Amino acid sequence: MIGEIITTLFSKFPLVGAIGAVAIIMAFSYWFANLIGQKRMGSAIAIVISLALAFVAGKTTGGAKGISDVTYFSGFALLGGSMLRDYAIVSTAFGVKLENLKKAGLPGVVSLLIGVAFSFFVGVIIAVALGYNNAVDAATIGAGTVTFIVGPVTGTALGASSEVVALSIAAGVVKSVVTMIITPLIAKSIKLDNPTTAMVYGGLIGTTSGVAGGLAATDSKLVPYGAMTATFYTGLGSLICPSIGYMIVKMFL
Amino acid sequence: MEIYGLGIVAFCMYIGSFAGYFIGKLLGVSGNVGGVGFAMLLLVLLSNYYETKKGGWSERTQNGILLLSALYIPIVVAMAGIQNVVAAFSGGAVAFLAGGIATIGSMLLVPLIGKLDKDETIE
């Protein structure tokens, strides 16, 4: 009977349950960060713990949506979904100074163009090196390397097989996960400590979830700047990968 | 009031996303092209305008916006929890190499392109 009531609680109030669970994860992470004398690592540790839980959940449930595939924690899909994420990201723009944006305008635009092209061609080269020799497959995997949304968009447009589309999504997810983990570690050495480099970083990496997570773990003041350029990245990628990108790949293969 | 702050952000998000979906349709790309970016830009313009003209929003209105930005990190933690981490690890060598090398390479480009800003001010 008690068990039944507890199950009811989790299925009736999924969002509240998820908020409670995140609070516990964060409390533990900040406690641990304090323990090892790295106060600022708190959110980075929380993100890594969440990723680890998502891995365990994915292994046990066989689903694609991490913790939210566990019935008790379905609220994670709502709390961590794109609606609330974007709502919160927009709010971080409050307090941003107009002159900082103007200063980073040109490098921001340049970083977007170079970022999409760079990721696409790195993906294409690696795909070809590992034996994906036809232009459609290589371009789809390259597009997945841009972000895990651009991959399937390009694959669908070019008529790639579902196996290749799945690979392209995996490449994008690797990028996003690697970004979340590595950013706080590498931030100092790439001078990621001011609004301009944050905007450049957002434009170069582009995966909104990776950039958001990585910057949140590095310095939350930089989040709005990185997020602002990153939000154009997937759109730009969906635009140029299946068109210009594919044509260039086709010239060589 | 706090709800005004939440409402201002909601308003910006709707206007920005409208522009994003509109551009997406014009370009023939499905989805929201830069909608969040437009929304943020709008919020920056609105808040800077109010700051200079009327001395900014009331403290309680600001609290509404600050509540949302304070929820940002917990939301990102929840977001990390719904990623398909298993797929990322099992995508094989192609996915791992392509995703990993592109990410690390892009990060190394950050200081190079960041310099564009300083070069401009020297000229």
Side-chain angles (χ1 to χ4, degrees), chain A residues 50-51 54-55 64 67 79 85 87 89-91 96 118 132 145 167 174-175 179 183 190 196 204 209 212-213 223-224 231 238, chain B residues 6 29 34 36-37 40 43 48 65 68-69 72 75-77 79-82 84 86 88 91 94 98 102-103 106-107 117:
Chain A
S50 266
L51 289 170
F55 181 79
I67 312 176
L79 184 62
R85 184 197 66 196
Y87 190 37
I89 286 181
V90 172
S91 78
V96 165
F118 179 79
Y132 292 85
T145 312
L167 267 182
V174 167
K175 187 182 188 187
T179 305
T183 305
I190 60 170
T196 303
L204 281 171
S209 42
V223 167
T231 171
S238 317
Chain B
L6 296 173
V29 184
V36 175
M40 294 173 82
L43 183 58
N48 279 278
I65 305 178
L68 268 182
S69 20
Y72 174 73
I75 285 173
V76 167
V77 171
M79 180 196 73
I82 58 172
N84 195 353
V86 174
V94 175
T103 308
S106 303
M107 285 182 179
D117 165 38

Side-chain angles (χ1 to χ4, degrees), chain A residues 8-251:
Chain A
T8 311
L9 291 181
F10 278 99
S11 57
K12 286 264 184 195
F13 320 134
L15 181 59
V16 175
I19 292 173
V22 170
I24 293 171
I25 293 174
M26 292 194 65
F28 174 81
S29 306
Y30 277 88
W31 169 80
F32 185 74
N34 261 331
L35 199 70
I36 57 172
Q38 298 283 338
K39 265 190 171 172
R40 298 189 60 179
M41 292 289 281
S43 39
I45 294 169
I47 288 166
V48 172
I49 290 177
S50 266
L51 289 170
L53 291 174
F55 181 79
V56 175
K59 276 279 180 210
T60 40
T61 63
K65 288 186 187 127
I67 312 176
S68 65
D69 283 326
V70 180
T71 326
Y72 279 0
F73 299 112
S74 61
F76 270 74
L78 194 51
L79 184 62
S82 62
M83 179 178 70
L84 285 179
R85 184 197 66 196
D86 290 350
Y87 190 37
I89 286 181
V90 172
S91 78
T92 61
F94 182 62
V96 165
K97 292 207 175 64
L98 209 51
E99 55 263 33
N100 283 342
L101 281 190
K102 280 186 193 152
K103 233 177 80 185
L106 174 71
V109 171
V110 172
S111 67
L112 270 171
L113 292 169
I114 293 181
V116 171
F118 179 79
S119 287
F120 179 74
F121 287 113
V122 166
V124 167
I125 289 167
I126 286 166
V128 172
L130 295 181
Y132 292 85
N133 280 322
N134 92 53
V136 171
D137 290 357
T140 303
I141 293 170
T145 312
V146 174
T147 73
F148 55 79
I149 297 170
V150 181
V153 166
T154 306
T156 313
L158 302 178
S161 71
S162 72
E163 183 220 332
V164 170
V165 171
L167 267 182
S168 78
I169 296 174
V173 177
V174 167
K175 187 182 188 187
S176 155
V177 171
V178 168
T179 305
M180 287 186 213
I181 297 174
I182 287 188
T183 305
L185 305 175
I186 203 178
K188 247 193 200 144
S189 42
I190 60 170
K191 300 197 177 75
L192 186 56
D193 56 6
N194 62 70
T196 303
T197 46
M199 277 182 79
V200 168
Y201 162 87
L204 281 171
I205 309 281
T207 145
T208 314
S209 42
V211 167
L215 284 179
T218 307
D219 180 355
S220 55
K221 277 201 263 345
L222 299 177
V223 167
Y225 299 99
M228 198 159 330
T229 40
T231 171
F232 289 97
Y233 189 90
T234 291
L236 187 66
S238 317
L239 190 66
I240 62 179
C241 289
S243 53
I244 308 172
Y246 174 66
M247 281 191 275
I248 295 174
V249 172
K250 208 157 182 247
M251 283 193 320

